[in-house]
Amino acid sequence: MSNTQARPVESERIALKARNVSFSWQDTPLHWVPGDPFTTHTINVLHLLLPAGERWFVHVYKQVLPLIRDDRLRADVLGFIGQEAMHSQAHDEVLPHLKEQGLDPTPYTAQVDWFFEKLLGDRTLPPGRARRWWLLERVALIAAIEHYTAFLGDWVLGAAELDRRGADPTMLDLLRWHGAEEVEHRSVAFDLFLHVDGDYGRRVRTWAAAFSALVFLWQRGVRFFMANDPTAAGEKPSLAGFHRRGRQGILPATGDMLKSIPRYLSRGYHPSHECSTAQAVAYLAASPAAMAAEKAQRAGEGAA
């Protein structure tokens, strides 16, 4: 492992803006990856985790804003907040569609809400060291989680096998719009962590907590979906099934996920050395939802 903090790649940095996208789900089937409930529901867990998780990101970052002493970083954090708020809303709007198709996500989302709002929420702590410690722990947790959201964003942007399998184009656009913005802002959470703290021990500790929680919540979500989907009879969720689909390119490859761990834990890690901003920007320039949002924004500005 490198003992020197890597310098950010300036060419990978971009001014962040929230895109007011919208999606219509009326034509999206329950199994939007045709004939593959397991892949569909493995990715569908995002719709259960992200609304509460990204609301929590925004809540924590609003608390840490007074600690930011760099105007450029402050602008990045405000852009991050705007994008994450929009992500939360977009995934939240998928949940009624799932319910209409016979999959009520409420029992699971109630557990996710408790995790972020109670377990990781604000605590009654005295002002000073204890309160600051809890804030910094959560800032570090977000940095660790963002490492994986960027990893997933990069993966879905290049997951051409999903197109070949006939995956629903609206769902793919949601996932790729979101994934592209995760790649766009992939350095913000880590830069903020370095700015307000940067302790390596905290980075390792919170990575372990974040990774364990994500694995636990994700497998629990897949099991919930598969158990409550009346049309998914036959296949049971399994690590072997996940691994096999990773090799096929319709889910992230297990090996790639494992290789991402030492990169984050390297003392020389910086997110700008991961993924490609150019690829993200190229997708956003072609995304139906992002283009519609841009067009609506221009029309609104013209009317004003």
Side-chain angles (χ1 to χ4, degrees):
M1 288 187 182
S2 170
N3 289 317
T4 304
Q5 178 63 56
R7 293 180 63 84
V9 180
E10 285 297 320
S11 61
E12 291 294 316
R13 183 181 179 274
I14 191 170
L16 302 175
K17 64 177 181 179
R19 298 166 177 87
N20 190 22
V21 299
S22 62
F23 301 89
S24 174
W25 300 112
Q26 61 185 13
D27 296 324
T28 298
L30 177 59
H31 300 151
W32 55 265
V33 180
D36 194 343
F38 180 77
T39 297
T40 294
H41 292 323
T42 298
I43 300 176
N44 272 348
V45 175
L46 287 168
H47 307 311
L48 308 186
L49 289 176
L50 291 177
E54 292 181 309
R55 284 193 298 269
W56 176 73
F57 290 1
V58 170
H59 178 75
V60 172
Y61 274 17
K62 286 181 177 178
Q63 293 182 35
V64 83
L65 278 172
L67 302 182
I68 301 175
R69 303 175 302 280
D70 180 276
D71 290 341
R72 184 181 182 184
L73 179 59
R74 176 183 290 272
D76 287 343
V77 170
L78 289 172
F80 178 98
I81 287 173
Q83 288 189 338
E84 295 288 18
M86 193 66 235
H87 298 170
S88 175
Q89 178 181 318
H91 285 277
D92 223 359
E93 290 172 354
V94 181
L95 302 186
H97 174 68
L98 294 175
K99 192 170 184 178
E100 289 169 2
Q101 295 184 313
L103 273 177
D104 182 3
T106 306
Y108 181 82
T109 55
Q111 297 175 32
V112 175
D113 289 344
W114 176 88
F115 180 82
F116 285 107
E117 295 174 9
K118 300 298 182 182
L119 185 63
L120 296 180
D122 296 338
R123 296 181 180 177
T124 305
L125 296 169
R129 182 176 297 179
R131 189 173 295 180
R132 182 181 175 89
W133 178 88
W134 183 229
L135 180 59
L136 295 181
E137 286 289 296
R138 293 184 292 172
V139 169
L141 279 168
I142 293 171
I145 294 170
E146 282 290 301
H147 175 64
Y148 287 101
T149 58
F151 171 86
L152 292 172
D154 183 60
W155 171 77
V156 78
L157 285 172
E161 187 61 27
L162 287 172
D163 300 273
R164 285 191 283 269
R165 299 287 179 101
D168 178 70
T170 302
M171 186 64 76
L172 285 181
D173 190 34
L174 166 65
L175 296 170
R176 286 172 175 160
W177 155 76
H178 184 172
E181 290 197 346
E182 290 297 331
V183 171
E184 274 192 324
H185 70 225
R186 66 192 182 279
S187 295
V188 176
F190 191 77
D191 286 343
L192 180 60
F193 167 67
L194 291 180
H195 182 72
V196 298
D197 181 56
D199 179 73
Y200 182 72
R202 176 174 272 131
R203 192 209 303 186
V204 173
R205 181 176 67 251
T206 53
W207 166 81
F211 183 79
S212 300
L214 286 173
V215 170
F216 173 77
L217 289 171
W218 211 299
Q219 61 85 25
R220 191 173 178 86
V222 176
R223 291 180 185 279
F224 171 82
F225 269 135
M226 294 294 284
N228 289 277
D229 181 349
T231 66
E235 183 173 11
K236 299 293 183 182
S238 67
L239 183 59
F242 181 92
H243 180 68
R244 182 171 64 255
R245 286 166 174 82
R247 295 181 65 180
Q248 295 169 351
I250 53 176
L251 286 176
T254 308
D256 291 342
M257 295 178 68
L258 294 176
K259 289 174 186 175
S260 75
I261 296 172
R263 294 202 303 273
Y264 184 75
L265 297 180
S266 167
R267 290 184 181 272
Y269 169 82
H270 191 272
S272 62
H273 295 267
E274 311 258 325
C275 313
S276 166
T277 299
Q279 182 187 31
V281 170
Y283 181 77
L284 291 168
S287 159
M291 288 193 297
E294 186 76 20
K295 182 178 179 180
Q297 181 181 355
R298 288 198 301 267
E301 291 170 352

